[in-house]
Amino acid sequence: MTDAVEPLRILMGPGPSNCHPSVLQAMARPLLGHLDPDFLAIMDETQDLLRDVMKTANRLTFPVSGTGSAGMETCLCNLVEPGDPVLVCINGVFGTRMADIVERLDGKLHTIEAEWGKPFEPEQVREAVARTAPRVVAIVHAETSTGVLQPLQEISRIVHEADSLLLVDAVTSLGGCPVETDRWAIDALYSGTQKCLSCPPGLAPISLSPRALQTLEGRATKVRSWYLDMDMVKNYWGSQRSYHHTAPISMIYALNQALKVIVEEGLERRFKRHRLNHTALVAGLEAMGLSMLVDEEYRLPMLNAVCIPHGVDDAKVRRALLTEDNIEIGGGLGPLAGRIWRIGLMGHSSTRENVMLLLNGLERILKAEGAEIPTGGTEAAEEVYEDAS
Ligand SMILES: *Cc1c(COP(=O)(O)O)cnc(C)c1O
């Protein structure tokens, strides 16, 4: 590395988010062996912390080695056997990715779709479940590509009445809004470390219910992935502690510390903070004449999809924010490319200071671009904070 000073980027995109300094420090701790009793104690503690944050008593709760997509692949490949009917709900990039994985597993793929930017209605799921009798229903809780929060309780009831398993992507929601694994009867939940858990990317916390474990143990065929076969990996994270693959020690230090930061803040306070910063950001953006993609009721607090005003150069604005203000935001994906910006307020990045920096920077840059922007964006956001204090 050169001795040039690394810029301290303000990460307000769809992930990674900024980390608490103590999380980065944890990664610099000396290594322990992956079967060292001191390390096993850190694993136990990490599992307990994960159960707290995921709101579950599931024994099978631990971080998979890999990013969020590895968590997705783990849940699907352990629960789906060739020929099994699987219903995947697609309203964005990550539902599309789940469908791709099901095909690679030779599952019998059924899909339902909702418009990108809209959630699924329970009735649509009910009809599809009745028609396809799936073994697994897979759905995304927080669609990071569109900013939609998917209500799950009614859908969970429908899935369980049909005796199917509910598989949920909580990569972006975990740590930023309520995720009630047990109360919502989620059978397979996966997340990722670099969104609202505010840890570097590299682990995928998962949780499998006793029903999911039964399904896994009752398989007629081997899991299609050796690395992600939870029937083996669970013996390292369980009491046997038998070697499967070397745990990514430093990442587990980091996750352990990130979860401690979360528990110390308290989940309720953390969700409230995410909600407040989101409300202030939206008030500011709307005062500037910008509009949100998603209806208010279904907006994610940690990922704000903003429609790009007509005639404004998407890439140019994002580049200016990065080079002039040190702020990263995301562009749109798929059909939303060039149509939206994705402004993340995830975990440690969700602060009043960041909201104000973003609104100031965006107003200045849009004006320089010649867009007609009414003033009052930052004032509208300030007002939300004043009202809340
Ligand atoms: C980021 C994300 C993923 C994929 O996680 P990676 O860490 O990029 O592999 C999956 N689902 C959702 C909803 C995400 O936001």
Side-chain angles (χ1 to χ4, degrees), residues 14 67-70 72 94 97 140 142-144 169 171-172 190 192 194-195 201:
T67 65
S69 305
M72 180 189 290
F94 296 104
R97 188 172 296 181
V140 178
E143 230 327 328
T144 321
D169 178 320
V171 174
T172 283
Y190 63 89
Q194 77 275 25
K195 313 260 165 119

PDB file of all heavy atoms in Angstrom, residues 14 67-70 72 94 97 140 142-144 169 171-172 190 192 194-195 201, ligand 1:
ATOM      1  N   PRO A  14     -26.280   0.803  -1.074  1.00  0.00           N
ATOM      2  CA  PRO A  14     -27.014  -0.410  -0.677  1.00  0.00           C
ATOM      3  C   PRO A  14     -26.142  -1.402   0.092  1.00  0.00           C
ATOM      4  O   PRO A  14     -26.488  -2.576   0.172  1.00  0.00           O
ATOM      5  CB  PRO A  14     -27.460  -0.984  -2.024  1.00  0.00           C
ATOM      6  CG  PRO A  14     -26.449  -0.484  -3.004  1.00  0.00           C
ATOM      7  CD  PRO A  14     -25.971   0.845  -2.516  1.00  0.00           C
ATOM      8  N   THR A  67     -20.599 -14.343   1.822  1.00  0.00           N
ATOM      9  CA  THR A  67     -21.456 -13.157   1.927  1.00  0.00           C
ATOM     10  C   THR A  67     -22.936 -13.551   1.915  1.00  0.00           C
ATOM     11  O   THR A  67     -23.278 -14.736   1.883  1.00  0.00           O
ATOM     12  CB  THR A  67     -21.175 -12.181   0.772  1.00  0.00           C
ATOM     13  OG1 THR A  67     -21.540 -12.813  -0.457  1.00  0.00           O
ATOM     14  CG2 THR A  67     -19.710 -11.764   0.731  1.00  0.00           C
ATOM     15  N   GLY A  68     -23.805 -12.569   1.901  1.00  0.00           N
ATOM     16  CA  GLY A  68     -25.247 -12.813   1.951  1.00  0.00           C
ATOM     17  C   GLY A  68     -25.733 -13.835   0.929  1.00  0.00           C
ATOM     18  O   GLY A  68     -26.585 -14.676   1.236  1.00  0.00           O
ATOM     19  N   SER A  69     -25.166 -13.799  -0.264  1.00  0.00           N
ATOM     20  CA  SER A  69     -25.591 -14.737  -1.302  1.00  0.00           C
ATOM     21  C   SER A  69     -25.265 -16.182  -0.916  1.00  0.00           C
ATOM     22  O   SER A  69     -25.984 -17.109  -1.290  1.00  0.00           O
ATOM     23  CB  SER A  69     -24.911 -14.415  -2.635  1.00  0.00           C
ATOM     24  OG  SER A  69     -25.163 -13.072  -2.989  1.00  0.00           O
ATOM     25  N   ALA A  70     -24.199 -16.378  -0.137  1.00  0.00           N
ATOM     26  CA  ALA A  70     -23.877 -17.722   0.359  1.00  0.00           C
ATOM     27  C   ALA A  70     -24.947 -18.179   1.345  1.00  0.00           C
ATOM     28  O   ALA A  70     -25.282 -19.369   1.415  1.00  0.00           O
ATOM     29  CB  ALA A  70     -22.497 -17.739   0.998  1.00  0.00           C
ATOM     30  N   MET A  72     -28.089 -17.255   1.132  1.00  0.00           N
ATOM     31  CA  MET A  72     -29.213 -17.589   0.249  1.00  0.00           C
ATOM     32  C   MET A  72     -29.034 -19.005  -0.309  1.00  0.00           C
ATOM     33  O   MET A  72     -29.936 -19.849  -0.254  1.00  0.00           O
ATOM     34  CB  MET A  72     -29.251 -16.566  -0.900  1.00  0.00           C
ATOM     35  CG  MET A  72     -30.352 -16.755  -1.898  1.00  0.00           C
ATOM     36  SD  MET A  72     -30.161 -15.673  -3.371  1.00  0.00           S
ATOM     37  CE  MET A  72     -30.484 -14.052  -2.721  1.00  0.00           C
ATOM     38  N   PHE A  94     -33.180  -9.731  -5.897  1.00  0.00           N
ATOM     39  CA  PHE A  94     -32.815 -10.850  -5.033  1.00  0.00           C
ATOM     40  C   PHE A  94     -33.786 -12.012  -5.129  1.00  0.00           C
ATOM     41  O   PHE A  94     -33.383 -13.168  -4.977  1.00  0.00           O
ATOM     42  CB  PHE A  94     -32.558 -10.352  -3.614  1.00  0.00           C
ATOM     43  CG  PHE A  94     -31.366  -9.422  -3.620  1.00  0.00           C
ATOM     44  CD1 PHE A  94     -31.527  -8.039  -3.530  1.00  0.00           C
ATOM     45  CD2 PHE A  94     -30.091  -9.923  -3.833  1.00  0.00           C
ATOM     46  CE1 PHE A  94     -30.428  -7.181  -3.605  1.00  0.00           C
ATOM     47  CE2 PHE A  94     -28.988  -9.078  -3.918  1.00  0.00           C
ATOM     48  CZ  PHE A  94     -29.153  -7.705  -3.802  1.00  0.00           C
ATOM     49  N   ARG A  97     -32.498 -13.794  -8.091  1.00  0.00           N
ATOM     50  CA  ARG A  97     -31.323 -14.612  -7.763  1.00  0.00           C
ATOM     51  C   ARG A  97     -31.742 -15.931  -7.103  1.00  0.00           C
ATOM     52  O   ARG A  97     -31.170 -16.986  -7.387  1.00  0.00           O
ATOM     53  CB  ARG A  97     -30.390 -13.810  -6.841  1.00  0.00           C
ATOM     54  CG  ARG A  97     -29.053 -14.480  -6.590  1.00  0.00           C
ATOM     55  CD  ARG A  97     -28.097 -13.565  -5.841  1.00  0.00           C
ATOM     56  NE  ARG A  97     -27.745 -12.380  -6.612  1.00  0.00           N
ATOM     57  CZ  ARG A  97     -26.900 -11.419  -6.201  1.00  0.00           C
ATOM     58  NH1 ARG A  97     -26.312 -11.536  -5.017  1.00  0.00           N
ATOM     59  NH2 ARG A  97     -26.637 -10.384  -6.945  1.00  0.00           N
ATOM     60  N   VAL A 140     -38.327 -12.262  -0.156  1.00  0.00           N
ATOM     61  CA  VAL A 140     -37.365 -11.279   0.354  1.00  0.00           C
ATOM     62  C   VAL A 140     -38.086 -10.319   1.300  1.00  0.00           C
ATOM     63  O   VAL A 140     -39.111  -9.742   0.934  1.00  0.00           O
ATOM     64  CB  VAL A 140     -36.729 -10.496  -0.817  1.00  0.00           C
ATOM     65  CG1 VAL A 140     -35.767  -9.428  -0.285  1.00  0.00           C
ATOM     66  CG2 VAL A 140     -36.011 -11.443  -1.774  1.00  0.00           C
ATOM     67  N   ALA A 142     -36.642  -7.498   2.822  1.00  0.00           N
ATOM     68  CA  ALA A 142     -36.273  -6.116   2.480  1.00  0.00           C
ATOM     69  C   ALA A 142     -35.578  -6.150   1.119  1.00  0.00           C
ATOM     70  O   ALA A 142     -34.429  -6.559   1.034  1.00  0.00           O
ATOM     71  CB  ALA A 142     -35.360  -5.524   3.544  1.00  0.00           C
ATOM     72  N   GLU A 143     -36.284  -5.768   0.071  1.00  0.00           N
ATOM     73  CA  GLU A 143     -35.727  -5.812  -1.293  1.00  0.00           C
ATOM     74  C   GLU A 143     -34.833  -4.596  -1.506  1.00  0.00           C
ATOM     75  O   GLU A 143     -35.305  -3.498  -1.786  1.00  0.00           O
ATOM     76  CB  GLU A 143     -36.850  -5.842  -2.328  1.00  0.00           C
ATOM     77  CG  GLU A 143     -36.825  -6.883  -3.422  1.00  0.00           C
ATOM     78  CD  GLU A 143     -35.515  -7.400  -4.004  1.00  0.00           C
ATOM     79  OE1 GLU A 143     -34.531  -6.641  -4.072  1.00  0.00           O
ATOM     80  OE2 GLU A 143     -35.490  -8.560  -4.431  1.00  0.00           O
ATOM     81  N   THR A 144     -33.548  -4.810  -1.404  1.00  0.00           N
ATOM     82  CA  THR A 144     -32.575  -3.726  -1.491  1.00  0.00           C
ATOM     83  C   THR A 144     -32.541  -3.095  -2.884  1.00  0.00           C
ATOM     84  O   THR A 144     -32.102  -1.960  -3.042  1.00  0.00           O
ATOM     85  CB  THR A 144     -31.178  -4.279  -1.131  1.00  0.00           C
ATOM     86  OG1 THR A 144     -31.338  -5.202  -0.055  1.00  0.00           O
ATOM     87  CG2 THR A 144     -30.238  -3.182  -0.703  1.00  0.00           C
ATOM     88  N   ASP A 169     -35.288 -13.944   3.050  1.00  0.00           N
ATOM     89  CA  ASP A 169     -34.074 -13.140   2.881  1.00  0.00           C
ATOM     90  C   ASP A 169     -34.195 -11.922   3.789  1.00  0.00           C
ATOM     91  O   ASP A 169     -35.046 -11.055   3.576  1.00  0.00           O
ATOM     92  CB  ASP A 169     -33.947 -12.700   1.413  1.00  0.00           C
ATOM     93  CG  ASP A 169     -32.725 -11.807   1.165  1.00  0.00           C
ATOM     94  OD1 ASP A 169     -32.433 -10.943   2.005  1.00  0.00           O
ATOM     95  OD2 ASP A 169     -32.103 -11.967   0.098  1.00  0.00           O
ATOM     96  N   VAL A 171     -31.325 -10.084   4.537  1.00  0.00           N
ATOM     97  CA  VAL A 171     -29.970  -9.541   4.423  1.00  0.00           C
ATOM     98  C   VAL A 171     -29.969  -8.059   4.813  1.00  0.00           C
ATOM     99  O   VAL A 171     -29.133  -7.615   5.596  1.00  0.00           O
ATOM    100  CB  VAL A 171     -29.396  -9.748   3.009  1.00  0.00           C
ATOM    101  CG1 VAL A 171     -28.037  -9.054   2.870  1.00  0.00           C
ATOM    102  CG2 VAL A 171     -29.245 -11.232   2.698  1.00  0.00           C
ATOM    103  N   THR A 172     -30.921  -7.302   4.279  1.00  0.00           N
ATOM    104  CA  THR A 172     -30.926  -5.867   4.542  1.00  0.00           C
ATOM    105  C   THR A 172     -31.752  -5.484   5.763  1.00  0.00           C
ATOM    106  O   THR A 172     -31.490  -4.481   6.405  1.00  0.00           O
ATOM    107  CB  THR A 172     -31.405  -5.115   3.282  1.00  0.00           C
ATOM    108  OG1 THR A 172     -30.313  -5.080   2.349  1.00  0.00           O
ATOM    109  CG2 THR A 172     -31.826  -3.689   3.561  1.00  0.00           C
ATOM    110  N   TYR A 190     -31.835 -16.017   6.356  1.00  0.00           N
ATOM    111  CA  TYR A 190     -30.412 -15.705   6.149  1.00  0.00           C
ATOM    112  C   TYR A 190     -30.235 -14.205   6.072  1.00  0.00           C
ATOM    113  O   TYR A 190     -31.138 -13.466   5.721  1.00  0.00           O
ATOM    114  CB  TYR A 190     -29.858 -16.381   4.888  1.00  0.00           C
ATOM    115  CG  TYR A 190     -30.488 -15.929   3.584  1.00  0.00           C
ATOM    116  CD1 TYR A 190     -29.973 -14.837   2.876  1.00  0.00           C
ATOM    117  CD2 TYR A 190     -31.585 -16.598   3.055  1.00  0.00           C
ATOM    118  CE1 TYR A 190     -30.543 -14.429   1.680  1.00  0.00           C
ATOM    119  CE2 TYR A 190     -32.151 -16.197   1.864  1.00  0.00           C
ATOM    120  CZ  TYR A 190     -31.634 -15.112   1.179  1.00  0.00           C
ATOM    121  OH  TYR A 190     -32.200 -14.702   0.005  1.00  0.00           O
ATOM    122  N   GLY A 192     -26.755 -10.986   5.988  1.00  0.00           N
ATOM    123  CA  GLY A 192     -25.381 -10.695   5.575  1.00  0.00           C
ATOM    124  C   GLY A 192     -24.824  -9.700   6.564  1.00  0.00           C
ATOM    125  O   GLY A 192     -25.578  -9.014   7.254  1.00  0.00           O
ATOM    126  N   GLN A 194     -22.766  -6.946   6.064  1.00  0.00           N
ATOM    127  CA  GLN A 194     -22.348  -5.581   5.700  1.00  0.00           C
ATOM    128  C   GLN A 194     -23.495  -4.599   5.499  1.00  0.00           C
ATOM    129  O   GLN A 194     -23.279  -3.497   5.032  1.00  0.00           O
ATOM    130  CB  GLN A 194     -21.487  -5.615   4.434  1.00  0.00           C
ATOM    131  CG  GLN A 194     -22.231  -5.802   3.123  1.00  0.00           C
ATOM    132  CD  GLN A 194     -22.500  -7.258   2.777  1.00  0.00           C
ATOM    133  OE1 GLN A 194     -22.558  -8.096   3.655  1.00  0.00           O
ATOM    134  NE2 GLN A 194     -22.692  -7.566   1.512  1.00  0.00           N
ATOM    135  N   LYS A 195     -24.723  -4.999   5.833  1.00  0.00           N
ATOM    136  CA  LYS A 195     -25.825  -4.048   5.677  1.00  0.00           C
ATOM    137  C   LYS A 195     -26.098  -3.444   7.057  1.00  0.00           C
ATOM    138  O   LYS A 195     -25.264  -2.720   7.557  1.00  0.00           O
ATOM    139  CB  LYS A 195     -27.027  -4.748   5.049  1.00  0.00           C
ATOM    140  CG  LYS A 195     -26.626  -5.615   3.819  1.00  0.00           C
ATOM    141  CD  LYS A 195     -26.861  -5.001   2.471  1.00  0.00           C
ATOM    142  CE  LYS A 195     -26.118  -5.755   1.382  1.00  0.00           C
ATOM    143  NZ  LYS A 195     -26.959  -6.343   0.359  1.00  0.00           N
ATOM    144  N   PRO A 201     -18.196  -7.098   4.835  1.00  0.00           N
ATOM    145  CA  PRO A 201     -18.811  -8.241   4.153  1.00  0.00           C
ATOM    146  C   PRO A 201     -17.970  -9.500   4.336  1.00  0.00           C
ATOM    147  O   PRO A 201     -16.742  -9.414   4.393  1.00  0.00           O
ATOM    148  CB  PRO A 201     -18.833  -7.811   2.680  1.00  0.00           C
ATOM    149  CG  PRO A 201     -17.830  -6.721   2.560  1.00  0.00           C
ATOM    150  CD  PRO A 201     -17.726  -6.062   3.899  1.00  0.00           C
TER     151      PRO A 201
HETATM  152  C1  LIG B   1     -26.975  -7.571  -0.466  1.00  0.00           C
HETATM  153  C2  LIG B   1     -28.099  -8.533  -0.565  1.00  0.00           C
HETATM  154  C3  LIG B   1     -27.926  -9.892  -0.891  1.00  0.00           C
HETATM  155  C4  LIG B   1     -26.598 -10.451  -1.314  1.00  0.00           C
HETATM  156  O1  LIG B   1     -25.621 -10.299  -0.385  1.00  0.00           O
HETATM  157  P1  LIG B   1     -24.065 -10.309  -0.832  1.00  0.00           P
HETATM  158  O2  LIG B   1     -23.412 -10.023   0.470  1.00  0.00           O
HETATM  159  O3  LIG B   1     -23.904  -9.233  -1.847  1.00  0.00           O
HETATM  160  O4  LIG B   1     -23.749 -11.654  -1.358  1.00  0.00           O
HETATM  161  C5  LIG B   1     -29.021 -10.706  -0.886  1.00  0.00           C
HETATM  162  N1  LIG B   1     -30.249 -10.238  -0.603  1.00  0.00           N
HETATM  163  C6  LIG B   1     -30.470  -8.941  -0.315  1.00  0.00           C
HETATM  164  C7  LIG B   1     -31.849  -8.485  -0.011  1.00  0.00           C
HETATM  165  C8  LIG B   1     -29.404  -8.056  -0.287  1.00  0.00           C
HETATM  166  O5  LIG B   1     -29.619  -6.753  -0.003  1.00  0.00           O
END
